[in-house]
Amino acid sequence: MPVTCGNCDKKAILKRPKTGDALCKECFFAAFELEIHHTIETARLFSHGDRVAIGASGGKDSTVLAYVMKVLNERFNYGLDLVLLSIDEGITGYRDDSLETVKRNQQQYDLPLKIVSYEELYGWTMDAIVKEIGLKNNCTFCGVFRRQALDRGAMLMKCNKIVTGHNADDIAETVIMNVLRGDIARLRRCTAITTGMEGALPRCKPFKYTYEKEIVMYAYFKKLDYFSTECIYSPNAYRGHARTYIKDAEAIRPSSIIDIIHSGESMAIKKDVKMPVQGRYFN
Ligand code: SF4
Ligand code: ZN
């Protein structure tokens, strides 16, 4: 017997990974979008008139983010000026292909797009860096460069905020990694929905509570155009272990992802606790 949607009388065609609810396509879209709207409203991520750069890599998270930001901005009248901002790390066979996806998204969503490259900003591509230093620590360089490049690109586009597609699974992974490393300073920062207030530009994560499986499901049913290849220089084994752990925990109890984020939030250290100085360790 066909299962009926838990929200209307249509036929259910999916089971929501986050809640286990049987839903029709339309009710899933509505629930998914409304939860993100709720996150945005509760955390007061934006103000009317903000010009927001959407960090767009062509991958599933940022493609869904660009689409949903546009939908919500129009539906709820946020009054945001949205632009796409892509970083070209200079990784042949990976970023060049994913940037083609972003260029198509620009047409599909009718948003302005700026691409800034490591080469123009720093005189180095990631291909050249990996050739020089090998595969060890390459992601550390790349991460620092990307953070700066996003700031520089957003400033060039006269944006006052950046949004990124970090999802609940990413944040739960980071919580676990920081617990395993005993890095309490990072543990305090990693669950924040907005970071970078002290630096150049605030960055927000509207997908903080959005499950990766639901992002994939949304992209699939909406037939969004995204790029799904992993970076060829991605040796981050430690994150890989945290990821496997999160997925195993999710399989046993879907709420594990949110539970880990909430645990990370409640373990956050009070502001007046003395923190270790970053990058210095004493025996
Ligand atoms: Fe850069 Fe590492 Fe990400 Fe590749 S996996 S884009 S090298 S941070
Ligand atoms: Zn329904």
Side-chain angles (χ1 to χ4, degrees):
M1 208 176 78
V3 180
T4 310
C5 171
N7 200 45
C8 70
D9 47 15
K10 284 200 202 130
K11 198 174 110 193
I13 57 150
L14 58 88
K15 194 171 151 196
R16 258 196 95 177
K18 196 172 185 175
T19 59
D21 295 342
L23 292 177
C24 72
K25 220 165 39 173
E26 284 69 30
C27 289
F28 168 64
F29 293 155
F32 180 91
E33 291 160 5
L34 211 61
E35 274 183 21
I36 296 160
H37 170 64
H38 181 70
T39 303
I40 290 173
E41 289 286 282
T42 309
R44 297 171 194 260
L45 292 188
F46 309 114
S47 308
H48 209 272
D50 278 347
R51 187 164 158 87
V52 180
I54 304 169
S57 68
K60 61 178 184 346
D61 300 305
S62 61
T63 302
V64 174
L65 181 65
Y67 180 86
V68 170
M69 284 296 298
K70 188 174 161 80
V71 166
L72 296 180
N73 190 32
E74 286 165 10
R75 184 180 304 157
F76 295 104
N77 196 19
Y78 291 166
L80 306 178
D81 201 1
L82 299 173
V83 306
L84 297 173
L85 172 60
S86 291
I87 309 301
D88 181 359
E89 297 94 343
I91 303 175
T92 314
Y94 166 64
R95 187 55 82 214
D96 41 1
D97 291 342
S98 69
L99 286 176
E100 289 309 311
T101 313
V102 180
K103 288 178 196 162
R104 288 197 302 277
N105 292 158
Q106 173 192 17
Q107 307 289 324
Q108 291 152 351
Y109 306 158
D110 190 27
L111 294 172
L113 165 68
K114 170 128 193 98
I115 301 175
V116 288
S117 72
Y118 285 3
E119 187 157 37
E120 70 186 87
L121 291 181
Y122 313 113
W124 284 80
T125 62
M126 272 314 286
D127 284 341
I129 292 174
V130 170
K131 216 168 164 190
E132 193 72 24
I133 67 164
L135 280 176
K136 207 162 170 263
N137 297 330
N138 58 304
C139 291
T140 308
F141 279 91
C142 191
V144 173
F145 281 179
R146 182 180 306 105
R147 220 161 300 137
Q148 284 184 12
L150 270 174
D151 279 344
R152 304 261 290 266
M155 280 192 256
L156 284 172
M157 294 201 87
K158 304 204 173 354
C159 293
N160 64 326
K161 265 175 201 153
I162 300 172
V163 288
T164 59
H166 290 98
N167 61 42
D169 299 50
D170 297 328
I171 296 169
E173 266 166 46
T174 311
V175 169
I176 293 297
M177 283 166 69
N178 288 329
V179 169
L180 293 177
R181 286 178 177 140
D183 192 335
I184 55 168
R186 281 207 174 86
L187 184 58
R188 179 159 89 183
R189 292 193 298 263
C190 78
T191 56
I193 192 160
T194 302
T195 53
M197 310 286 277
E198 65 300 328
L201 289 175
R203 325 163 155 241
C204 322
K205 303 182 189 99
F207 285 172
K208 178 178 174 187
Y209 299 111
T210 309
Y211 280 27
E212 180 172 64
K213 278 186 181 162
E214 299 208 345
I215 293 173
V216 174
M217 207 173 239
Y218 187 89
Y220 172 78
F221 285 117
K222 284 274 182 188
K223 299 191 172 57
L224 300 185
D225 181 6
Y226 68 91
F227 181 81
S228 53
T229 305
E230 289 274 316
C231 172
I232 50 171
Y233 301 139
S234 165
N236 202 334
Y238 201 61
R239 183 169 280 278
H241 291 312
R243 170 158 289 251
T244 309
Y245 170 75
I246 302 285
K247 294 287 177 218
D248 289 348
E250 184 193 12
I252 298 165
R253 197 172 61 162
S255 71
S256 301
I257 295 178
I258 293 289
D259 295 342
I260 291 169
I261 297 176
H262 286 153
S263 305
E265 287 168 342
S266 11
M267 278 191 286
I269 319 299
K270 289 202 188 79
K271 279 207 169 66
D272 49 357
V273 172
K274 202 162 174 267
M275 289 292 178
V277 178
Q278 204 170 349
R280 290 168 64 195
Y281 296 93
F282 302 99
N283 290 323

